[in-house]
Amino acid sequence: MKAFLLAAGLGTRLRPITDSTPKCLLRVGDRTLLDIWLDALAAAGVTEVLLNTHHLAVLVREHVAARASGPAVRLAHEPALLGSAGTLLANRDFVDGEEMFLAVNADNLTDFDLDLLVKEHRALDPIATLTLFHAPDPRACGIVEVAADGRMTGFVEKPADPPGDLANAGVYAFSPAVLDLVPEPLPRDLGFDLLPRLVGRAHTVDLGDAYFIDIGTPAALARARDEWHPKAAS
């Protein structure tokens, strides 16, 4: 199985921390976000990861080269950012012929068992399976409406008047056919440009009591460092 690890963002809300360190190489405990995700993907059966780069790409390349284990990593440099959905579309050859693939936002931190997502997606075989969490500030997230059977019945990115607090956690299982729905030209964003097209077709999985945080601000990074324990990442 293959996966996209979306890690090319500038991390502007984390400045000045990200002026010298790309967001995916920020450490929580004694490990980088990148290493936490690569190990989690490997544990779920992923053997090859496409990692997109942009900001401070040479540091990411050097870090990947120094890893001695885990899934094989293909680096895809973006001189101009393609957007989260654009990265998938621009590299669709990476998943040609695959039954399914995963895609995750590298700036999120969770101890959710990705194998549960894989099993749910394979059992139901939808075009996409999204993971959900209860957002403390729904206006800052992609908000999902869900039917009793887990099907996504509504989606809106960062709504001014949220219909609920069930939010997109940025961890996905996709059929390669989903890439036919990404509009051109690029850049394109998953939340604004793809997920609304999956209403009525995508399935959802709740993270339940798993730990989850979006490390997008210095305050969130400090909170993650205070709350995260190495045992949860093993």
Side-chain angles (χ1 to χ4, degrees), residues 111-160:
D111 59 4
F112 177 71
D113 183 356
L114 296 179
D115 193 49
L116 298 177
L117 171 64
V118 172
K119 289 177 178 176
E120 187 78 4
H121 184 82
R122 283 179 170 156
L124 297 173
D125 196 28
I127 195 168
T129 305
L130 286 65
T131 52
L132 307 179
F133 73 107
H134 290 274
D137 181 8
R139 292 172 298 178
C141 304
I143 297 302
V144 182
E145 296 178 83
V146 180
D149 62 358
R151 186 169 39 89
M152 182 171 73
T153 57
F155 181 86
V156 59
E157 185 71 16
K158 298 180 175 62

Short mmCIF file of all heavy atoms in Angstrom, two decimals, residues 111-160:
data_model
loop_
_atom_site.label_atom_id
_atom_site.label_comp_id
_atom_site.label_asym_id
_atom_site.label_seq_id
_atom_site.Cartn_x
_atom_site.Cartn_y
_atom_site.Cartn_z
N ASP A 111 -2.64 9.63 17.65
CA ASP A 111 -2.25 8.25 17.91
C ASP A 111 -3.34 7.28 17.41
O ASP A 111 -3.36 6.11 17.79
CB ASP A 111 -1.95 8.02 19.39
CG ASP A 111 -3.12 8.33 20.31
OD1 ASP A 111 -4.23 8.65 19.80
OD2 ASP A 111 -2.95 8.27 21.54
N PHE A 112 -4.23 7.79 16.55
CA PHE A 112 -5.24 6.93 15.94
C PHE A 112 -4.59 5.80 15.17
O PHE A 112 -3.60 6.01 14.45
CB PHE A 112 -6.13 7.77 15.02
CG PHE A 112 -7.18 6.98 14.28
CD1 PHE A 112 -8.26 6.46 14.96
CD2 PHE A 112 -7.09 6.78 12.91
CE1 PHE A 112 -9.25 5.74 14.28
CE2 PHE A 112 -8.06 6.08 12.23
CZ PHE A 112 -9.14 5.56 12.92
N ASP A 113 -5.14 4.60 15.30
CA ASP A 113 -4.61 3.43 14.61
C ASP A 113 -5.05 3.46 13.15
O ASP A 113 -6.22 3.22 12.83
CB ASP A 113 -5.14 2.16 15.30
CG ASP A 113 -4.58 0.88 14.71
OD1 ASP A 113 -3.84 0.95 13.69
OD2 ASP A 113 -4.88 -0.20 15.25
N LEU A 114 -4.12 3.77 12.26
CA LEU A 114 -4.45 3.88 10.84
C LEU A 114 -4.96 2.58 10.25
O LEU A 114 -5.66 2.58 9.24
CB LEU A 114 -3.23 4.35 10.05
CG LEU A 114 -2.70 5.75 10.37
CD1 LEU A 114 -1.47 6.04 9.53
CD2 LEU A 114 -3.77 6.80 10.15
N ASP A 115 -4.62 1.47 10.86
CA ASP A 115 -5.10 0.18 10.37
C ASP A 115 -6.63 0.10 10.44
O ASP A 115 -7.25 -0.57 9.62
CB ASP A 115 -4.47 -0.95 11.17
CG ASP A 115 -4.67 -2.31 10.49
OD1 ASP A 115 -4.41 -2.41 9.28
OD2 ASP A 115 -5.10 -3.25 11.18
N LEU A 116 -7.24 0.80 11.41
CA LEU A 116 -8.70 0.82 11.51
C LEU A 116 -9.30 1.53 10.30
O LEU A 116 -10.33 1.10 9.77
CB LEU A 116 -9.14 1.52 12.79
CG LEU A 116 -8.68 0.87 14.10
CD1 LEU A 116 -9.12 1.72 15.30
CD2 LEU A 116 -9.26 -0.55 14.21
N LEU A 117 -8.66 2.60 9.85
CA LEU A 117 -9.12 3.31 8.65
C LEU A 117 -8.99 2.42 7.43
O LEU A 117 -9.91 2.34 6.60
CB LEU A 117 -8.30 4.59 8.48
CG LEU A 117 -8.48 5.35 7.16
CD1 LEU A 117 -9.90 5.87 7.02
CD2 LEU A 117 -7.47 6.50 7.08
N VAL A 118 -7.86 1.73 7.30
CA VAL A 118 -7.64 0.85 6.16
C VAL A 118 -8.69 -0.25 6.10
O VAL A 118 -9.29 -0.53 5.05
CB VAL A 118 -6.23 0.25 6.22
CG1 VAL A 118 -6.04 -0.81 5.14
CG2 VAL A 118 -5.18 1.35 6.06
N LYS A 119 -8.95 -0.88 7.24
CA LYS A 119 -9.93 -1.98 7.28
C LYS A 119 -11.33 -1.50 6.96
O LYS A 119 -12.09 -2.17 6.24
CB LYS A 119 -9.89 -2.65 8.65
CG LYS A 119 -8.63 -3.47 8.89
CD LYS A 119 -8.60 -4.06 10.29
CE LYS A 119 -7.35 -4.91 10.50
NZ LYS A 119 -7.26 -5.43 11.89
N GLU A 120 -11.70 -0.32 7.48
CA GLU A 120 -13.04 0.22 7.21
C GLU A 120 -13.20 0.55 5.73
O GLU A 120 -14.24 0.26 5.12
CB GLU A 120 -13.25 1.48 8.06
CG GLU A 120 -14.65 2.05 8.01
CD GLU A 120 -15.65 1.29 8.86
OE1 GLU A 120 -15.23 0.34 9.56
OE2 GLU A 120 -16.84 1.64 8.83
N HIS A 121 -12.18 1.13 5.14
CA HIS A 121 -12.26 1.49 3.73
C HIS A 121 -12.35 0.23 2.86
O HIS A 121 -13.15 0.19 1.91
CB HIS A 121 -11.03 2.32 3.33
CG HIS A 121 -11.06 2.81 1.92
ND1 HIS A 121 -11.76 3.94 1.55
CD2 HIS A 121 -10.51 2.31 0.78
CE1 HIS A 121 -11.61 4.12 0.24
NE2 HIS A 121 -10.86 3.15 -0.24
N ARG A 122 -11.56 -0.76 3.17
CA ARG A 122 -11.59 -1.99 2.37
C ARG A 122 -12.91 -2.73 2.52
O ARG A 122 -13.40 -3.35 1.56
CB ARG A 122 -10.42 -2.89 2.77
CG ARG A 122 -9.09 -2.42 2.19
CD ARG A 122 -7.94 -3.29 2.61
NE ARG A 122 -6.73 -2.96 1.86
CZ ARG A 122 -5.50 -3.20 2.27
NH1 ARG A 122 -5.30 -3.80 3.44
NH2 ARG A 122 -4.46 -2.86 1.53
N ALA A 123 -13.50 -2.67 3.70
CA ALA A 123 -14.76 -3.38 3.93
C ALA A 123 -15.90 -2.77 3.13
O ALA A 123 -16.76 -3.49 2.60
CB ALA A 123 -15.08 -3.39 5.42
N LEU A 124 -15.94 -1.44 3.02
CA LEU A 124 -17.05 -0.75 2.38
C LEU A 124 -16.75 -0.35 0.93
O LEU A 124 -17.67 -0.15 0.15
CB LEU A 124 -17.42 0.48 3.19
CG LEU A 124 -17.92 0.19 4.61
CD1 LEU A 124 -18.10 1.49 5.38
CD2 LEU A 124 -19.22 -0.60 4.58
N ASP A 125 -15.47 -0.17 0.61
CA ASP A 125 -15.01 0.17 -0.73
C ASP A 125 -15.68 1.43 -1.30
O ASP A 125 -16.13 1.43 -2.45
CB ASP A 125 -15.22 -1.01 -1.68
CG ASP A 125 -14.42 -0.85 -2.98
OD1 ASP A 125 -13.36 -0.19 -2.93
OD2 ASP A 125 -14.85 -1.37 -4.01
N PRO A 126 -15.72 2.53 -0.53
CA PRO A 126 -16.22 3.78 -1.09
C PRO A 126 -15.11 4.46 -1.89
O PRO A 126 -13.97 4.00 -1.92
CB PRO A 126 -16.56 4.60 0.16
CG PRO A 126 -15.53 4.15 1.15
CD PRO A 126 -15.26 2.69 0.86
N ILE A 127 -15.42 5.58 -2.52
CA ILE A 127 -14.40 6.31 -3.24
C ILE A 127 -13.44 7.01 -2.28
O ILE A 127 -12.27 7.25 -2.62
CB ILE A 127 -15.03 7.33 -4.22
CG1 ILE A 127 -13.99 7.83 -5.23
CG2 ILE A 127 -15.70 8.48 -3.46
CD1 ILE A 127 -14.59 8.59 -6.39
N ALA A 128 -13.91 7.28 -1.07
CA ALA A 128 -13.07 7.93 -0.07
C ALA A 128 -13.60 7.64 1.33
O ALA A 128 -14.81 7.46 1.52
CB ALA A 128 -13.05 9.44 -0.30
N THR A 129 -12.68 7.58 2.29
CA THR A 129 -13.05 7.47 3.70
C THR A 129 -12.29 8.55 4.46
O THR A 129 -11.06 8.63 4.38
CB THR A 129 -12.71 6.09 4.27
OG1 THR A 129 -13.33 5.07 3.47
CG2 THR A 129 -13.21 5.96 5.71
N LEU A 130 -13.03 9.40 5.17
CA LEU A 130 -12.46 10.50 5.93
C LEU A 130 -12.47 10.16 7.41
O LEU A 130 -13.38 9.48 7.90
CB LEU A 130 -13.28 11.78 5.76
CG LEU A 130 -13.22 12.58 4.47
CD1 LEU A 130 -13.78 11.80 3.29
CD2 LEU A 130 -13.97 13.89 4.64
N THR A 131 -11.49 10.66 8.14
CA THR A 131 -11.49 10.56 9.59
C THR A 131 -12.02 11.86 10.18
O THR A 131 -11.77 12.95 9.65
CB THR A 131 -10.09 10.28 10.14
OG1 THR A 131 -9.18 11.25 9.62
CG2 THR A 131 -9.63 8.88 9.78
N LEU A 132 -12.74 11.74 11.30
CA LEU A 132 -13.39 12.90 11.91
C LEU A 132 -13.03 13.03 13.38
O LEU A 132 -12.74 12.05 14.06
CB LEU A 132 -14.92 12.75 11.81
CG LEU A 132 -15.52 12.48 10.42
CD1 LEU A 132 -17.03 12.35 10.54
CD2 LEU A 132 -15.14 13.58 9.44
N PHE A 133 -13.03 14.28 13.86
CA PHE A 133 -12.87 14.55 15.28
C PHE A 133 -13.83 15.67 15.66
O PHE A 133 -14.39 16.36 14.80
CB PHE A 133 -11.43 14.94 15.62
CG PHE A 133 -11.03 16.32 15.15
CD1 PHE A 133 -10.88 17.35 16.07
CD2 PHE A 133 -10.79 16.59 13.81
CE1 PHE A 133 -10.52 18.62 15.66
CE2 PHE A 133 -10.41 17.86 13.40
CZ PHE A 133 -10.27 18.89 14.32
N HIS A 134 -14.05 15.85 16.97
CA HIS A 134 -14.91 16.93 17.46
C HIS A 134 -14.05 18.18 17.67
O HIS A 134 -13.17 18.20 18.53
CB HIS A 134 -15.62 16.51 18.75
CG HIS A 134 -16.66 15.44 18.52
ND1 HIS A 134 -17.95 15.73 18.14
CD2 HIS A 134 -16.56 14.08 18.57
CE1 HIS A 134 -18.62 14.60 17.99
NE2 HIS A 134 -17.80 13.58 18.25
N ALA A 135 -14.30 19.20 16.86
CA ALA A 135 -13.45 20.38 16.85
C ALA A 135 -13.85 21.36 17.94
O ALA A 135 -15.04 21.69 18.08
CB ALA A 135 -13.55 21.07 15.49
N PRO A 136 -12.88 21.88 18.70
CA PRO A 136 -13.20 22.91 19.70
C PRO A 136 -13.60 24.23 19.05
O PRO A 136 -14.37 24.99 19.65
CB PRO A 136 -11.89 23.05 20.49
CG PRO A 136 -10.83 22.51 19.59
CD PRO A 136 -11.48 21.45 18.77
N ASP A 137 -13.11 24.51 17.82
CA ASP A 137 -13.50 25.70 17.08
C ASP A 137 -13.89 25.29 15.67
O ASP A 137 -13.06 25.30 14.75
CB ASP A 137 -12.35 26.72 17.05
CG ASP A 137 -12.73 28.00 16.30
OD1 ASP A 137 -13.93 28.15 15.94
OD2 ASP A 137 -11.85 28.83 16.06
N PRO A 138 -15.16 24.92 15.46
CA PRO A 138 -15.57 24.41 14.15
C PRO A 138 -15.37 25.41 13.01
O PRO A 138 -15.23 25.01 11.86
CB PRO A 138 -17.06 24.10 14.35
CG PRO A 138 -17.22 23.91 15.82
CD PRO A 138 -16.23 24.84 16.46
N ARG A 139 -15.35 26.70 13.29
CA ARG A 139 -15.19 27.69 12.23
C ARG A 139 -13.80 27.63 11.58
O ARG A 139 -13.60 28.16 10.49
CB ARG A 139 -15.44 29.09 12.79
CG ARG A 139 -16.90 29.34 13.20
CD ARG A 139 -17.03 30.66 13.91
NE ARG A 139 -16.24 30.67 15.14
CZ ARG A 139 -16.13 31.72 15.95
NH1 ARG A 139 -16.75 32.85 15.64
NH2 ARG A 139 -15.40 31.65 17.05
N ALA A 140 -12.86 26.98 12.25
CA ALA A 140 -11.49 26.89 11.72
C ALA A 140 -11.24 25.58 10.99
O ALA A 140 -10.11 25.33 10.57
CB ALA A 140 -10.50 27.02 12.87
N CYS A 141 -12.28 24.76 10.79
CA CYS A 141 -12.10 23.41 10.25
C CYS A 141 -13.03 23.16 9.08
O CYS A 141 -13.93 23.95 8.79
CB CYS A 141 -12.38 22.37 11.34
SG CYS A 141 -11.39 22.55 12.84
N GLY A 142 -12.83 22.03 8.43
CA GLY A 142 -13.78 21.53 7.46
C GLY A 142 -14.83 20.72 8.21
O GLY A 142 -14.50 19.72 8.85
N ILE A 143 -16.08 21.16 8.17
CA ILE A 143 -17.13 20.54 8.98
C ILE A 143 -17.93 19.55 8.13
O ILE A 143 -18.34 19.85 7.00
CB ILE A 143 -18.05 21.60 9.59
CG1 ILE A 143 -17.24 22.49 10.52
CG2 ILE A 143 -19.21 20.96 10.34
CD1 ILE A 143 -16.53 21.74 11.65
N VAL A 144 -18.13 18.37 8.71
CA VAL A 144 -18.75 17.25 8.00
C VAL A 144 -20.08 16.92 8.64
O VAL A 144 -20.20 16.85 9.86
CB VAL A 144 -17.83 16.01 8.04
CG1 VAL A 144 -18.44 14.85 7.26
CG2 VAL A 144 -16.45 16.35 7.49
N GLU A 145 -21.08 16.70 7.81
CA GLU A 145 -22.36 16.16 8.27
C GLU A 145 -22.42 14.69 7.86
O GLU A 145 -22.00 14.33 6.75
CB GLU A 145 -23.52 16.94 7.67
CG GLU A 145 -23.55 18.39 8.14
CD GLU A 145 -24.67 19.18 7.51
OE1 GLU A 145 -25.81 19.10 8.03
OE2 GLU A 145 -24.42 19.85 6.49
N VAL A 146 -22.94 13.86 8.77
CA VAL A 146 -22.84 12.41 8.61
C VAL A 146 -24.19 11.75 8.85
O VAL A 146 -24.89 12.08 9.82
CB VAL A 146 -21.79 11.83 9.58
CG1 VAL A 146 -21.68 10.32 9.42
CG2 VAL A 146 -20.44 12.49 9.38
N ALA A 147 -24.54 10.81 7.98
CA ALA A 147 -25.75 10.01 8.17
C ALA A 147 -25.50 8.91 9.19
O ALA A 147 -24.35 8.66 9.59
CB ALA A 147 -26.18 9.40 6.83
N ALA A 148 -26.57 8.24 9.59
CA ALA A 148 -26.45 7.19 10.61
C ALA A 148 -25.55 6.05 10.16
O ALA A 148 -24.92 5.38 11.00
CB ALA A 148 -27.84 6.66 10.95
N ASP A 149 -25.46 5.83 8.86
CA ASP A 149 -24.62 4.74 8.36
C ASP A 149 -23.17 5.16 8.13
O ASP A 149 -22.36 4.39 7.61
CB ASP A 149 -25.20 4.16 7.06
CG ASP A 149 -25.25 5.18 5.92
OD1 ASP A 149 -24.88 6.36 6.14
OD2 ASP A 149 -25.67 4.80 4.81
N GLY A 150 -22.81 6.40 8.52
CA GLY A 150 -21.44 6.87 8.38
C GLY A 150 -21.14 7.55 7.06
O GLY A 150 -20.02 8.03 6.85
N ARG A 151 -22.13 7.66 6.19
CA ARG A 151 -21.92 8.32 4.90
C ARG A 151 -21.88 9.84 5.09
O ARG A 151 -22.65 10.41 5.86
CB ARG A 151 -23.04 7.92 3.94
CG ARG A 151 -22.89 8.40 2.51
CD ARG A 151 -23.93 7.70 1.63
NE ARG A 151 -25.20 7.58 2.34
CZ ARG A 151 -26.15 8.52 2.30
NH1 ARG A 151 -25.97 9.62 1.62
NH2 ARG A 151 -27.27 8.32 2.97
N MET A 152 -20.97 10.51 4.37
CA MET A 152 -20.88 11.96 4.45
C MET A 152 -22.02 12.59 3.65
O MET A 152 -22.15 12.37 2.45
CB MET A 152 -19.54 12.45 3.91
CG MET A 152 -19.36 13.96 3.99
SD MET A 152 -17.68 14.54 3.59
CE MET A 152 -17.66 14.30 1.80
N THR A 153 -22.85 13.37 4.32
CA THR A 153 -24.02 13.98 3.67
C THR A 153 -23.87 15.49 3.50
O THR A 153 -24.71 16.13 2.88
CB THR A 153 -25.29 13.69 4.48
OG1 THR A 153 -25.12 14.17 5.82
CG2 THR A 153 -25.58 12.20 4.51
N GLY A 154 -22.81 16.05 4.05
CA GLY A 154 -22.58 17.48 3.88
C GLY A 154 -21.15 17.82 4.23
O GLY A 154 -20.53 17.15 5.08
N PHE A 155 -20.60 18.84 3.57
CA PHE A 155 -19.25 19.29 3.88
C PHE A 155 -19.12 20.76 3.55
O PHE A 155 -19.55 21.20 2.47
CB PHE A 155 -18.19 18.50 3.11
CG PHE A 155 -16.78 18.94 3.44
CD1 PHE A 155 -16.11 18.40 4.52
CD2 PHE A 155 -16.16 19.95 2.70
CE1 PHE A 155 -14.84 18.83 4.86
CE2 PHE A 155 -14.88 20.38 3.02
CZ PHE A 155 -14.22 19.82 4.11
N VAL A 156 -18.49 21.52 4.46
CA VAL A 156 -18.19 22.92 4.21
C VAL A 156 -16.87 23.25 4.88
O VAL A 156 -16.65 22.87 6.04
CB VAL A 156 -19.34 23.84 4.67
CG1 VAL A 156 -19.62 23.69 6.15
CG2 VAL A 156 -19.03 25.29 4.30
N GLU A 157 -15.99 23.91 4.16
CA GLU A 157 -14.67 24.25 4.69
C GLU A 157 -14.73 25.59 5.43
O GLU A 157 -15.16 26.60 4.88
CB GLU A 157 -13.66 24.32 3.54
CG GLU A 157 -12.23 24.56 3.99
CD GLU A 157 -11.59 23.38 4.70
OE1 GLU A 157 -12.13 22.25 4.59
OE2 GLU A 157 -10.56 23.57 5.34
N LYS A 158 -14.33 25.56 6.70
CA LYS A 158 -14.22 26.76 7.54
C LYS A 158 -15.47 27.64 7.46
O LYS A 158 -15.42 28.81 7.07
CB LYS A 158 -12.97 27.56 7.18
CG LYS A 158 -11.67 26.79 7.39
CD LYS A 158 -10.45 27.62 7.02
CE LYS A 158 -9.15 26.90 7.36
NZ LYS A 158 -8.98 25.63 6.64
N PRO A 159 -16.62 27.09 7.85
CA PRO A 159 -17.88 27.85 7.74
C PRO A 159 -17.99 28.94 8.80
O PRO A 159 -17.54 28.78 9.94
CB PRO A 159 -18.94 26.77 7.95
CG PRO A 159 -18.27 25.76 8.84
CD PRO A 159 -16.83 25.74 8.40
N ALA A 160 -18.61 30.05 8.44
CA ALA A 160 -18.87 31.12 9.40
C ALA A 160 -19.94 30.69 10.40
O ALA A 160 -19.92 31.11 11.57
CB ALA A 160 -19.30 32.38 8.67
#
